């Protein structure tokens, strides 16, 4: 309990900054939306003239109001994923490796606890952190989206999308934890986290534009959940939830095993 | 007396570079054991294995009869550790850190905390970040002794403490020892060890080269002899066995001697002498002697 | 010179990694060019009479991706992202490195001015960035011209390639300023990625909204592919802002660094 509380406290400040960043992002996006929706009437008019067959080619559902706040908001999912990936992956990498970085390992790990218990407390604290960021994202999204919404309530679609986001947060947290336990210091751990985030993001872009390589989609978490499916069909791809769960379990197990065997530097 | 720490053939390599090789020694319950050796000899490596911060490549170590690798967390309940360099969470206040530390051992004994802080003249309200090196060290001392551990492990503990604080610190250690705590005291400053310890282990380049009682080391092994001749230094000295660490200065000669003292007396009885002194060597000189032996 | 050399020695490894990452990104995208260009041509015909707002909102690029120059602007968008992360990392690192690894007392007690230390480090950064950009230019050029079947406008290619450097110096300046303002900096990468992605996301929003005001905010929008292609040059307004931000932030950082208290170990 003591380590858990201690971790919550040390991470509180950075969590607040992350939440503020997220709030700023949603707010700025919504301000832009109100400007966009005005020019959007012309777009909608144009849309009505396009034959249905062409709409299908373009991947625009029939009768979708392209200027609706829901469609606009679904664009945010990519931004959320990017920010959340950085937050959770770095959080995971640092929460494990920072004791050695700050040379407090000689303090903490001479206490009469198993290393695994320290890890568990830290993981728990990290999950609370990402859950708070997720909850803030949800709450602020619902409030600002509903303000512009003219159709039926969007609370549930937004909940779906932030749930999908949470799966990704946990996934990146797991990867970060494993890096923290494996890397020789926090610098290497955060660099590894950086390359995973950048690498999988580029991979997402490559797959986006080239469907021939869709087979390797599972390698990029940014491709796991598609905003329009999640929001409008209200379906989260269970297959990828399972893939995420499997990766997280493997990473967590690896974290416990490797950290237990680790020689702690001072 | 029982063995509190048992170390058998302990070996640690960091990749290819040497940590310690085949280290074996025991620390008895209730003693203050000095662990001495030059920088990089392997003192900290040994201690960090005892605390299971790092894991041995070979051999074993046990404390309270329990294996350090397997039962690390149980053993550590009764260990207080002061590392050579102290680093703490610098966003915390001293009192918060001490309470946090205490929380791992059950309820903190606030009376004892206040008592220790008072002796070490530690300001509990200050932030760790603003403390000087010496003051951080004091935090380390209080933090290590707070839970009245059965085994106190000190790794070069006096750096940064002023002489007055050193004295108080040694007094504290003696008190704890009198109450029954065993102490493993690692240092490269020999007078300290001489002052405090009953037995010492000497480690050099990763290997234990001697474990002995301090008194035995001084009394039975070596004499520090200084001879001042009236005329020439007797040539027979050069061929005599058991002489070490010879220093000549004009008609004076000083050396460490191990062997039958009568040989020396017989020798000087042939010469005209100005002065003869025979002393117990201090630890430092014995120590230097061990270093030189390897060369 | 000794500081420059030491600084370069400490950082050349990450220079290699980032450069490889950027080259790989460029190559992989170029491999897909031919098949992608064919698919896009059809779509382009379809989209040709759509209003630009519509295309933007749906994420269709404002350049012709079936042509090599349009496609290159898209590729360099991502190379610039990598480069920005690298530039930001360097910027945040240099002035904070010594206090983080506790060598500040060592270096700053030497008989050199702080300004000399800082400018040497800055020089080392520039060596890294120039080296990286020369490598990028030289190594992507043959691949691009192969993908284009020789039909490559070298001038436009050069403009794209050089925009990497221009965006990087923006982030070097910004990173340095952040690093001297933050009281205690423990890890570089989380801050680096957070800030760069923030700017990148603003650019993504801007791509969908085509808002001039947002363009000023993020260097990712300064050297837009469509503008470079149509004008065969940079928009002087944004070029000036970019360089001004670098100079002002750098000078500001140096001034603060000169007077900054160095924390004891």
């Amino acid at each position: 309990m003591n380590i858990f509380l201690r971790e919550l406290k040390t991470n509180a400040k950075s969590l607040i900054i992350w939440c503020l960043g997220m709030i700023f992002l949603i707010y700025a996006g919504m301000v832009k939306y109100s400007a966009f929706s005005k020019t959007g009437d012309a777009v909608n008019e144009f849309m009505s003239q396009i034959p249905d067959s062409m709409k299908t080619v373009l991947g625009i559902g029939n009768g979708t109001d392209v200027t609706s706040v829901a469609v606009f908001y679904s664009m945010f999912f990519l931004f959320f994923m990017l920010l959340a990936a950085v937050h959770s992956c770095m959080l995971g990498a640092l929460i494990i490796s920072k004791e050695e970085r700050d040379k407090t390992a000689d303090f903490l790990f001479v206490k009469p606890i198993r290393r695994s218990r320290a890890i568990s407390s830290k993981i728990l604290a990290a999950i609370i952190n990402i859950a708070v960021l997720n909850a803030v994202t949800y709450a602020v999204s619902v409030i600002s989206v509903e303000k512009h919404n003219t159709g039926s309530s969007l609370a549930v679609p937004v909940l779906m999308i932030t749930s999908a986001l949470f799966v990704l947060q946990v996934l990146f947290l797991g990867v970060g934890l494993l890096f923290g336990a494996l890397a020789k210091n926090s610098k290497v751990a955060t660099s590894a986290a950086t390359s995973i985030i950048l690498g999988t993001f580029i991979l997402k872009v490559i797959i986006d534009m080239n469907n021939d390589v869709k087979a390797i989609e599972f390698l990029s978490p940014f491709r796991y959940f598609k905003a329009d499916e999640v929001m409008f069909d209200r379906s989260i791809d269970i297959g990828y939830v399972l893939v995420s769960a499997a990766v997280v379990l493997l990473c967590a197990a690896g974290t416990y095993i490797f950290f237990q065997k680790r020689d702690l530097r001072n | 007396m029982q063995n509190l720490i048992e170390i058998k053939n302990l070996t640690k390599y960091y990749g290819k570079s040497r940590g310690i090789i085949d280290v074996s020694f025991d620390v008895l319950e209730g003693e203050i054991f000095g662990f001495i050796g030059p920088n990089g000899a392997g003192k900290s490596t040994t201690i960090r294995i005892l605390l299971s911060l790092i894991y041995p490549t070979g051999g074993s170590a046990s404390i309270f009869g329990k294996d350090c690798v397997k039962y690390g967390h149980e053993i550590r309940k009764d260990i207080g550790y002061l590392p050579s360099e102290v680093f703490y969470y610098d966003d915390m206040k001293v009192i918060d850190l001490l309470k946090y530390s205490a929380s791992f051992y059950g309820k903190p004994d606030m009376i004892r905390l206040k008592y220790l802080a008072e002796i070490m003249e530690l300001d509990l309200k200050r932030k760790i970040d603003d403390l000087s090196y010496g003051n951080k060290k004091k935090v380390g001392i209080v933090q290590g002794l707070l839970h009245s551990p059965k085994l106190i492990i000190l790794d070069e503990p006096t750096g940064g403490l002023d002489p007055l604080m050193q004295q108080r610190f040694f007094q504290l250690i003696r008190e704890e020892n009198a109450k029954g705590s065993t102490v493993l005291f690692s240092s490269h400053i020999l007078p300290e060890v001489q002052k405090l310890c009953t037995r010492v282990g000497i480690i050099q380049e990763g290997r234990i080269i001697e474990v002995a009682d301090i008194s035995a080391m001084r009394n039975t092994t070596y004499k520090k002899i200084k001879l001042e001749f009236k005329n020439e230094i007797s040539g027979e000295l050069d061929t005599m066995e058991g002489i070490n660490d010879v220093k000549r200065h004009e008609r004076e000669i000083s050396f460490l001697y191990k062997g039958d003292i009568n040989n020396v007396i017989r020798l000087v009885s042939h010469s005209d002498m100005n002065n003869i002194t025979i002393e117990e060597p201090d630890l430092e000189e014995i120590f230097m002697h061990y270093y030189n032996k390897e060369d | 010179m000794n500081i420059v050399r030491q600084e370069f020695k400490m950082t050349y490894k990450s220079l290699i990694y980032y450069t490889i990452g950027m080259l790989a990104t460029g190559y992989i995208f170029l491999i897909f060019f031919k098949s992608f260009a064919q698919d896009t041509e059809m779509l382009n015909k379809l989209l040709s009479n759509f209003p630009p707002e519509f295309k933007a909102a749906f994420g269709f690029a404002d350049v012709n991706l079936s042509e090599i120059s349009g496609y290159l602007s898209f590729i360099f968008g991502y190379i610039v992202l990598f480069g920005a992360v690298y530039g930001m990392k360097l910027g945040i690192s240099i002035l904070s490195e010594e206090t983080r690894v506790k060598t500040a007392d060592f270096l700053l007690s030497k008989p050199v001015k702080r300004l000399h230390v800082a400018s040497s480090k800055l020089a080392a950064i520039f060596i890294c960035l120039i080296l990286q950009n020369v490598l990028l230019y030289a190594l992507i050029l043959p691949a691009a011209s192969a993908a284009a079947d020789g039909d490559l406008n070298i001038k436009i290619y050069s403009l794209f390639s050089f925009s990497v450097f221009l965006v990087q110096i923006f982030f070097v300046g910004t990173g340095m300023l952040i690093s001297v303002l933050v009281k205690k900096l423990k890890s570089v990468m989380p801050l680096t990625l957070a800030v760069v992605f923030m700017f990148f996301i603003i650019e993504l929003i801007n791509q969908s909204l085509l808002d001039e005001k947002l363009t000023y905010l993020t260097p990712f929008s300064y050297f837009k592919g469509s503008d470079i292609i149509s004008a065969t040059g940079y928009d002087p307004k944004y070029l000036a802002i970019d360089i001004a931000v670098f100079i002002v932030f750098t000078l500001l950082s140096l001034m603060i660094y000169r007077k900054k208290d160095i924390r004891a170990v």
Side-chain angles (χ1 to χ4, degrees):
Chain A
M1 203 53 191
N2 36 15
I3 298 179
F4 172 70
L5 291 176
R6 167 82 198 133
E7 286 300 340
L8 285 189
K9 233 188 214 167
T10 20
N11 282 306
K13 213 162 122 193
S14 95
L15 178 61
I16 290 171
I17 296 174
W18 275 100
C19 289
L20 288 176
M22 199 57 115
I23 292 168
F24 165 78
L25 181 69
I26 298 168
Y27 173 78
M30 282 302 146
V31 169
K32 289 293 113 193
Y33 170 72
S34 50
F36 172 72
S37 61
K38 277 167 208 144
T39 65
D41 287 347
V43 176
N44 266 342
E45 208 183 294
F46 183 81
M47 279 292 293
S48 61
Q49 294 161 10
I50 305 175
D52 286 353
S53 61
M54 203 178 277
K55 281 185 191 165
T56 321
V57 174
L58 291 171
I60 308 161
N62 230 345
T64 311
D65 178 3
V66 293
T67 62
S68 81
V69 68
V71 172
F72 190 85
Y73 176 79
S74 70
M75 185 176 88
F76 285 24
F77 187 50
L78 175 62
F79 314 154
F80 293 162
M81 286 195 293
L82 280 175
L83 279 194
V86 176
H87 173 250
S88 48
C89 206
M90 293 297 176
L91 178 66
L94 282 180
I95 208 163
I96 302 290
S97 63
K98 71 175 175 193
E99 304 286 348
E100 283 173 87
R101 178 195 66 188
D102 299 340
K103 308 196 186 242
T104 47
D106 273 26
F107 169 84
L108 186 62
F109 296 109
V110 302
K111 299 286 178 258
I113 45 158
R114 288 197 172 89
R115 284 192 194 174
S116 55
R117 212 194 90 186
I119 298 292
S120 302
S121 307
K122 280 166 175 282
I123 294 180
L124 196 59
I127 290 177
I128 299 285
N129 269 276
I130 57 174
V132 168
L133 184 64
N134 191 279
V136 167
T137 308
Y138 174 71
V140 177
S141 295
V142 168
I143 293 167
S144 45
V145 168
E146 290 293 10
K147 222 167 63 186
H148 297 282
N149 187 23
T150 46
S152 55
S153 167
L154 288 168
V156 176
V158 174
L159 182 65
M160 295 290 285
I161 217 162
T162 44
S163 304
L165 183 68
F166 189 68
V167 174
L168 293 174
Q169 285 178 295
V170 176
L171 175 60
F172 276 107
L173 175 70
V175 174
L177 289 167
L178 184 64
F179 287 157
L182 276 178
K184 83 168 192 254
N185 58 40
S186 74
K187 231 173 162 176
V188 176
T190 51
S191 297
T194 303
S195 47
I196 275 286
I197 294 166
L198 285 177
T200 51
F201 176 61
I202 290 291
L203 192 61
K204 169 208 145 49
V205 178
I206 291 172
I207 300 171
D208 277 351
M209 51 176 283
N210 198 316
N211 264 318
D212 302 346
V213 289
K214 214 178 159 199
I216 54 166
E217 188 178 60
F218 68 94
L219 288 176
S220 176
F222 293 107
R223 286 274 306 185
Y224 286 5
F225 309 111
K226 282 143 204 97
D228 50 344
E229 281 175 27
V230 174
M231 270 188 85
F232 306 122
D233 304 342
R234 303 200 180 177
S235 84
I236 293 179
D237 191 329
I238 292 299
Y240 278 124
V241 173
L242 292 178
V243 169
S244 306
V247 173
V248 167
L249 285 179
L250 278 177
C251 286
T255 305
Y256 281 105
I257 293 168
F258 291 119
F259 195 78
Q260 186 63 43
K261 289 188 177 154
R262 189 182 173 88
D263 279 351
L264 296 172
R265 294 158 173 258
N266 65 338
Chain B
M1 267 191 291
Q2 252 185 312
N3 288 340
L4 198 92
I5 304 177
E6 288 179 358
I7 298 176
K8 286 199 191 75
N9 309 108
L10 203 59
T11 300
K12 173 71 185 173
Y13 277 92
Y14 299 101
K16 271 185 187 157
S17 68
R18 183 245 336 135
I20 52 173
I21 302 164
D22 211 16
V23 163
S24 301
F25 67 90
D26 300 324
V27 175
L28 306 173
E29 196 176 343
E31 74 174 338
I32 303 185
F33 187 89
F35 192 32
I36 54 182
N39 295 330
K43 300 188 293 287
S44 293
T45 298
T46 311
I47 286 175
R48 290 166 64 75
I49 292 175
L50 290 177
L51 290 160
S52 56
L53 284 166
I54 56 177
Y55 297 106
T57 324
S60 69
S62 64
I63 301 177
F64 313 128
K66 288 175 184 165
D67 183 73
C68 286
V69 176
K70 259 198 205 139
Y71 299 102
H73 63 289
E74 286 176 27
I75 294 169
R76 291 197 296 267
K77 232 177 263 173
D78 296 308
I79 297 181
Y81 168 56
L82 176 61
S84 53
E85 279 185 276
V86 281
F87 291 98
Y88 296 119
Y89 306 93
D90 42 24
D91 54 334
M92 281 174 135
K93 281 190 186 140
V94 174
I95 183 72
D96 296 332
L97 181 99
L98 292 175
K99 278 185 181 162
Y100 182 47
S101 174
S103 71
F104 289 92
Y105 306 94
K107 251 190 164 302
D109 181 347
M110 290 308 288
I111 297 168
R112 185 168 162 81
L113 192 155
K114 293 249 162 64
Y115 164 75
L116 290 171
E118 209 167 299
I119 291 184
M120 296 315 294
E121 293 181 10
L122 184 61
D123 185 350
L124 293 174
K125 296 214 176 63
R126 290 184 64 185
K127 257 181 116 177
I128 301 273
D129 204 18
D130 302 330
L131 295 182
S132 70
Y133 180 58
N135 276 322
K136 273 188 202 158
K137 206 93 203 205
K138 292 181 188 172
V139 178
I141 293 167
V142 176
Q143 175 269 138
L145 298 179
L146 188 56
H147 56 290
S148 303
K150 285 189 201 142
L151 171 64
I152 302 171
I153 297 182
L154 308 166
D155 191 359
E156 302 187 4
T158 52
L161 291 180
D162 64 45
L164 177 68
M165 280 305 141
Q166 276 191 30
Q167 222 176 359
R168 289 201 185 163
F169 170 58
F170 285 155
Q171 196 49 46
L172 261 180
I173 296 296
R174 281 198 197 95
E175 270 173 35
E176 292 303 306
N177 181 243
K179 281 194 277 178
S181 296
T182 308
V183 181
L184 174 62
F185 181 99
S186 139
S187 177
H188 58 122
I189 305 166
L190 294 148
E192 280 184 2
V193 176
Q194 210 164 356
K195 241 193 269 177
L196 208 61
C197 300
T198 42
R199 282 202 315 149
V200 290
I202 301 175
I203 187 167
Q204 193 190 349
E205 289 178 10
R207 294 173 193 273
I208 292 283
I209 51 177
E210 179 91 58
V211 177
D213 282 358
I214 284 217
S215 51
M217 258 177 108
R218 277 193 309 208
N219 293 339
T220 60
T221 33
Y222 291 95
K223 300 287 175 206
K224 183 175 152 191
I225 300 177
K226 192 163 123 190
L227 308 173
E228 284 175 43
F229 291 86
K230 268 225 167 84
N231 305 309
E232 288 294 291
I233 295 175
S234 167
E236 289 175 55
L237 270 171
D238 296 330
T239 58
M240 207 163 92
E241 260 180 55
I243 285 185
N244 273 303
D245 201 18
V246 182
K247 283 185 200 105
R248 289 163 188 272
H249 180 71
E250 294 179 355
R251 270 167 278 176
E252 271 178 46
I253 181 165
S254 65
F255 51 86
L256 290 179
Y257 178 69
K258 186 183 184 180
D260 189 351
I261 194 73
N262 290 310
N263 293 338
V264 182
I265 294 172
R266 265 195 289 278
L267 187 141
V268 296
S269 65
H270 303 309
S271 312
D272 262 356
M273 304 300 292
N274 259 350
N275 199 4
I276 301 172
T277 50
I278 301 179
E279 286 176 340
E280 304 295 333
D282 59 27
L283 212 44
E284 193 138 7
E285 283 156 313
I286 299 174
F287 200 43
M288 289 313 291
H289 160 64
Y290 276 111
Y291 290 170
N292 295 336
K293 211 160 60 176
E294 293 289 306
D295 296 339
Chain C
M1 250 346 255
N2 44 2
I3 301 178
V4 180
R5 215 177 308 129
Q6 171 64 15
E7 204 62 36
F8 185 75
K9 254 190 224 155
M10 290 195 305
T11 172
Y12 80 95
K13 259 196 202 149
S14 68
L15 171 68
I16 295 172
Y17 296 146
Y18 277 90
T19 310
I20 289 175
M22 291 156 93
L23 285 173
T25 305
Y27 289 147
I28 292 171
F29 278 120
L30 280 171
I31 290 170
F32 293 133
F33 173 62
K34 287 237 172 79
S35 66
F36 185 77
Q38 281 164 4
D39 297 349
T40 323
E41 215 142 3
M42 198 191 79
L43 194 68
N44 276 341
K45 271 185 208 139
L46 205 68
L47 285 172
S48 56
N49 29 3
F50 281 33
E53 292 89 356
F54 171 85
K55 285 196 263 186
F58 274 83
F60 296 111
D62 56 351
V63 290
N64 186 352
L65 289 179
S66 64
E67 282 169 14
I68 187 70
S69 47
Y71 195 74
L72 276 175
S73 87
F74 169 79
I75 296 177
F76 271 99
Y78 291 99
I79 295 179
V80 163
L81 175 64
F82 270 72
V85 172
Y86 183 58
M88 187 76 177
K89 171 195 133 76
L90 289 178
I92 291 185
S93 305
I94 50 158
L95 297 184
S96 66
E97 176 77 19
E98 311 286 340
T99 36
R100 260 182 304 111
V101 299
K102 308 189 195 303
T103 49
D105 285 16
F106 163 81
L107 185 63
L108 296 178
S109 61
K110 297 283 174 272
V112 283
K113 281 193 180 143
R114 289 238 187 128
L115 215 50
H116 174 77
V117 172
S119 50
S120 302
K121 284 162 171 275
L122 198 57
I125 285 191
F126 266 80
I127 293 174
C128 289
L129 292 186
I130 290 169
L131 216 58
Q132 180 172 69
N133 278 277
V134 168
L135 283 173
L136 281 180
Y137 182 88
L139 294 178
I140 292 186
L141 182 59
S145 103
D149 291 328
D151 185 26
L152 180 72
N153 184 331
I154 298 286
K155 186 158 185 220
I156 286 178
Y157 171 81
S158 310
L159 286 167
F160 285 141
S161 186
F162 189 57
S163 71
V164 178
F165 180 77
L166 289 173
V167 173
Q168 282 179 318
I169 59 170
F170 178 96
F171 282 103
V172 168
T174 313
M176 279 168 66
L177 189 60
I178 291 174
S179 81
V180 291
L181 290 179
V182 173
K183 208 174 97 198
K184 210 159 191 195
L185 198 73
K186 281 181 169 171
S187 276
V188 173
M189 286 327 292
L191 186 60
T192 300
L193 275 195
V195 175
V196 172
F197 274 166
M198 233 6 186
F199 279 112
F200 187 66
I201 288 170
I202 296 176
E203 155 67 6
L204 290 180
I205 297 180
N206 192 22
Q207 274 178 9
S208 316
L209 294 176
L210 307 174
D211 183 336
E212 177 121 8
K213 269 173 281 168
L214 273 182
T215 308
Y216 287 105
L217 268 182
T218 168
F220 290 115
S221 306
Y222 287 176
F223 311 106
K224 252 180 36 191
S226 51
D227 294 349
I228 292 177
I229 293 168
S230 61
T232 330
Y234 300 130
D235 187 331
K237 186 172 58 190
Y238 294 120
L239 183 64
I241 294 174
D242 180 72
I243 293 171
V245 165
F246 167 69
I247 292 175
V248 171
F249 282 11
T250 302
L251 289 181
L252 219 55
S253 319
L254 294 182
M255 269 162 54
I256 298 170
Y257 182 69
R258 219 157 61 97
K259 298 274 180 228
K260 199 178 175 181
D261 284 347
I262 302 297
R263 306 188 69 89
V265 177

